[in-house]
Short mmCIF file of all heavy atoms in Angstrom, two decimals:
data_model
loop_
_atom_site.label_atom_id
_atom_site.label_comp_id
_atom_site.label_asym_id
_atom_site.label_seq_id
_atom_site.Cartn_x
_atom_site.Cartn_y
_atom_site.Cartn_z
N ILE Y 19 35.23 7.69 -6.84
CA ILE Y 19 34.80 8.67 -5.83
C ILE Y 19 33.34 8.41 -5.45
O ILE Y 19 32.98 8.41 -4.27
CB ILE Y 19 35.00 10.10 -6.35
CG1 ILE Y 19 36.50 10.41 -6.41
CG2 ILE Y 19 34.28 11.12 -5.48
CD1 ILE Y 19 36.84 11.72 -7.10
N VAL Y 20 32.51 8.16 -6.45
CA VAL Y 20 31.08 7.90 -6.17
C VAL Y 20 30.94 6.62 -5.35
O VAL Y 20 30.16 6.57 -4.40
CB VAL Y 20 30.29 7.79 -7.50
CG1 VAL Y 20 28.90 7.22 -7.27
CG2 VAL Y 20 30.19 9.15 -8.17
N VAL Y 21 31.69 5.59 -5.66
CA VAL Y 21 31.63 4.34 -4.91
C VAL Y 21 32.07 4.55 -3.46
O VAL Y 21 31.42 4.07 -2.51
CB VAL Y 21 32.47 3.25 -5.60
CG1 VAL Y 21 32.68 2.04 -4.68
CG2 VAL Y 21 31.83 2.82 -6.91
N ILE Y 22 33.17 5.29 -3.27
CA ILE Y 22 33.67 5.54 -1.91
C ILE Y 22 32.65 6.35 -1.10
O ILE Y 22 32.34 6.01 0.04
CB ILE Y 22 35.04 6.22 -1.97
CG1 ILE Y 22 36.09 5.24 -2.50
CG2 ILE Y 22 35.45 6.74 -0.60
CD1 ILE Y 22 37.44 5.85 -2.80
N LEU Y 23 32.13 7.42 -1.70
CA LEU Y 23 31.12 8.21 -1.01
C LEU Y 23 29.87 7.39 -0.68
O LEU Y 23 29.29 7.53 0.40
CB LEU Y 23 30.74 9.45 -1.85
CG LEU Y 23 31.81 10.54 -1.94
CD1 LEU Y 23 31.36 11.63 -2.90
CD2 LEU Y 23 32.12 11.12 -0.58
N SER Y 24 29.47 6.55 -1.59
CA SER Y 24 28.30 5.70 -1.36
C SER Y 24 28.56 4.73 -0.20
O SER Y 24 27.67 4.49 0.62
CB SER Y 24 27.96 4.89 -2.63
OG SER Y 24 27.61 5.75 -3.66
N CYS Y 25 29.77 4.20 -0.13
CA CYS Y 25 30.11 3.30 0.99
C CYS Y 25 30.05 4.04 2.33
O CYS Y 25 29.52 3.50 3.30
CB CYS Y 25 31.49 2.70 0.78
SG CYS Y 25 31.53 1.45 -0.53
N PHE Y 26 30.56 5.26 2.35
CA PHE Y 26 30.48 6.05 3.57
C PHE Y 26 29.03 6.33 3.96
O PHE Y 26 28.67 6.22 5.13
CB PHE Y 26 31.25 7.38 3.44
CG PHE Y 26 32.73 7.24 3.63
CD1 PHE Y 26 33.60 7.60 2.61
CD2 PHE Y 26 33.25 6.75 4.81
CE1 PHE Y 26 34.97 7.46 2.79
CE2 PHE Y 26 34.63 6.60 5.00
CZ PHE Y 26 35.48 6.97 3.97
N LEU Y 27 28.22 6.69 2.99
CA LEU Y 27 26.82 6.97 3.25
C LEU Y 27 26.09 5.72 3.76
O LEU Y 27 25.34 5.79 4.73
CB LEU Y 27 26.13 7.52 2.00
CG LEU Y 27 24.65 7.83 2.14
CD1 LEU Y 27 24.42 8.94 3.16
CD2 LEU Y 27 24.06 8.21 0.81
N LEU Y 28 26.33 4.61 3.13
CA LEU Y 28 25.68 3.37 3.57
C LEU Y 28 26.12 2.99 4.98
O LEU Y 28 25.31 2.54 5.80
CB LEU Y 28 26.00 2.22 2.60
CG LEU Y 28 25.22 2.24 1.28
CD1 LEU Y 28 25.76 1.19 0.34
CD2 LEU Y 28 23.75 2.04 1.52
N THR Y 29 27.40 3.16 5.28
CA THR Y 29 27.91 2.86 6.62
C THR Y 29 27.25 3.78 7.64
O THR Y 29 26.82 3.33 8.71
CB THR Y 29 29.43 3.02 6.66
OG1 THR Y 29 30.02 2.16 5.68
CG2 THR Y 29 29.99 2.68 8.03
N TYR Y 30 27.16 5.06 7.33
CA TYR Y 30 26.52 6.00 8.23
C TYR Y 30 25.06 5.63 8.47
O TYR Y 30 24.58 5.62 9.62
CB TYR Y 30 26.61 7.43 7.69
CG TYR Y 30 25.73 8.39 8.43
CD1 TYR Y 30 26.09 8.86 9.69
CD2 TYR Y 30 24.51 8.81 7.89
CE1 TYR Y 30 25.27 9.72 10.39
CE2 TYR Y 30 23.68 9.65 8.59
CZ TYR Y 30 24.06 10.11 9.84
OH TYR Y 30 23.22 10.94 10.53
#
Side-chain angles (χ1 to χ4, degrees):
I19 290 171
V20 168
V21 167
I22 291 171
L23 288 175
S24 297
C25 287
F26 280 120
L27 179 63
L28 284 172
T29 303
Y30 168 76

